[in-house]
């Protein structure tokens, strides 16, 4: 029997790409999502791309009885836990919702896993747990410090996982700290589908390119970087999900608990991303340099050496593929799913 993986948040941006990769690798997939930030259509498209079917359950993580029934009915062997709320600005306006959903939801999931005897977990964390970095590139040893409620919920779940592992060493847990996931499946059938005005750079660029927004605002042109705009470590979502498959294999060696950065190690400025997009797609992106966005660090990029060494993973795809695939998805789905 192939291993059955429960993917929480399986209809979301990264979760949908992970479901495709898991099905293609021969896993049985059970996807759970409350569809609060995603559409059911994503599930049909996952199956179409992979040429295989999965089990989809519309369940909220806070619905303990629903989760228990799912574990009874589908008996997963491992869980990849993507489900969560992720908008930084919204988290400062609705902190309790973020704590309840991200931390409370994870606590229910872990308890149901325990009671069901499932102790293999991959958790979606974020480079946001490093706050504004003091030294670059960021290794996993860098101090953890968070600067907004979203980040604090991610760090709180990491700490909950370390406490759980200390109390019951039978757990094997992979914490993956993502840098900036962008891009889409090359089929253009699944991708990032933000509600309303995008907060993040790449979806904003693709919406300008498709004519839904007039101009990009570049937040700050006077940072101490090579062109004055902020540096981030953009990573193709396909590389990112490959990291999850490698992490599942790593868990087979019973490593206990560990955290790994998933980034390319290559920082790009905002203007380099704009130029990369124009180069990869032939579409020009009009922009204005405006005020800095509060809370932005000048530069954030990973040292991905530990993931290479321990997981046998490294990112393969560059900024041109990230831009071309994001654009392909946006063009084929101008208003999302
Ligand atoms: P997403 O919003 O597209 O996917 C998350 C999914 O979880 C959504 O489909 C949503 O409906 C679902 N969900 C939320 N709360 C739920 C609940 N209580 N019960 C059931 N389903 C619930 O986001 P994404 O970009 O795919 O991110 C996935 C994970 O990766 C999140 O935990 C996020 O914090 C983390 N992460 C994302 C990024 C990024 O830039 N996209 C960066 C770092 C970390
Ligand atoms: C944001 C979140 C971070 C989260 C990450 C996930 C904030 C403050 N941080 O990080 O917690 O883990 O997403 O990918 O929201 N930019 C523009 N114009 C735009 C949008 C963005 O110039 O319209 C710039 C930003 O100033 C930044 C860069 O583009 O320098 C990337 O921004 P974004 O995609 O929002 O990601 P992060 O800020 O790295």
């Amino acid at each position: 029997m192939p291993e059955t993986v429960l993917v929480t948040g399986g209809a979301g941006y990264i979760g949908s790409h992970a479901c495709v990769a898991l099905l293609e690798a021969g896993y049985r997939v059970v996807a759970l999502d409350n569809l609060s930030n995603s559409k059911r259509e994503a599930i049909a498209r996952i199956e179409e791309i992979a040429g295989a079917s999965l089990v989809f359950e519309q369940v909220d993580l806070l619905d303990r009885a629903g989760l228990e029934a799912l574990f009874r009915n589908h008996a997963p062997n491992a869980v990849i836990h993507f489900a969560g709320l992720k908008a930084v600005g919204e988290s400062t306006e609705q902190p309790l919702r973020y704590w309840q959903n991200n931390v409370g939801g994870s606590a229910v999931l872990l308890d149901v896993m325990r009671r069901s005897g499932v102790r293999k977990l991959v958790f979606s964390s974020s480079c946001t747990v490093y706050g504004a970095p003091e030294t670059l590139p960021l290794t996993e040893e860098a101090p953890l410090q968070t600067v907004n409620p979203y980040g604090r919920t991610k760090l709180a779940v990491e700490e909950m996982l370390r406490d759980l592992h200390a109390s019951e060493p039978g757990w094997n847990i992979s914490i993956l700290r993502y840098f900036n996931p962008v891009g889409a499946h090359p089929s253009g059938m699944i991708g990032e589908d933000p509600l309303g005005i995008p907060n993040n750079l790449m979806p904003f660029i693709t919406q300008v390119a498709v004519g839904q927004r007039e101009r990009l605002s570049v937040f700050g042109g006077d940072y101490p970087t090579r062109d004055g705009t902020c540096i981030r470590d953009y990573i193709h979502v396909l590389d990112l999900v490959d990291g999850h498959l490698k992490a599942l294999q790593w868990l087979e060696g019973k490593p206990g608990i560990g955290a790994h950065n998933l980034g390319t190690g290559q920082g790009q400025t905002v203007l380099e991303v704009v130029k990369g997009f124009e180069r990869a797609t032939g579409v020009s992106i009009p922009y204005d340099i405006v005020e800095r966005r509060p809370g932005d660090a000048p530069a954030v990029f990973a040292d991905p050496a530990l993931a290479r060494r321990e997981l046998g993973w490294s990112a393969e795809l560059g900024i041109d593929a990230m831009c071309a695939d994001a654009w392909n998805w946006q063009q084929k789905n101008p208003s999302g799913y």
Side-chain angles (χ1 to χ4, degrees), residues 13-14 33-34 36-38 60-61 82 86 101 150 154 181:
Y13 169 45
I14 304 170
D33 205 295
N34 65 2
S36 60
N37 195 39
S38 52
D60 193 299
L61 283 181
F82 293 106
K86 62 166 183 176
N101 193 78
Y150 164 70
K154 286 286 160 194

Side-chain angles (χ1 to χ4, degrees), residues 88 126 128 180 199-201 217-219 230 232 234 293 296:
V88 172
S126 165
T128 190
N180 290 60
N199 297 307
N200 298 114
L201 179 63
S217 294
V218 173
F219 300 140
C230 290
R232 294 290 181 274
Y234 298 92
R293 181 172 69 177
D296 273 343

Side-chain angles (χ1 to χ4, degrees), residues 119-186:
R119 292 190 174 78
K120 258 190 286 185
L121 176 79
V122 180
F123 172 62
S124 299
S125 189
S126 165
C127 65
T128 190
V129 299
Y130 299 119
E134 279 147 30
T135 42
L136 289 166
L138 277 161
T139 69
E140 290 79 357
E141 304 297 306
L144 301 180
Q145 44 177 359
T146 52
V147 291
N148 56 58
Y150 164 70
R152 281 187 275 280
T153 66
K154 286 286 160 194
L155 187 52
V157 175
E158 285 202 9
E159 286 173 345
M160 179 158 61
L161 293 171
R162 285 186 273 271
D163 286 345
L164 178 61
H165 178 261
S167 73
E168 286 179 15
W171 283 83
N172 288 292
I173 299 174
S174 159
I175 294 170
L176 298 178
R177 297 183 181 144
Y178 311 161
F179 282 67
N180 290 60
V182 295
H185 192 271

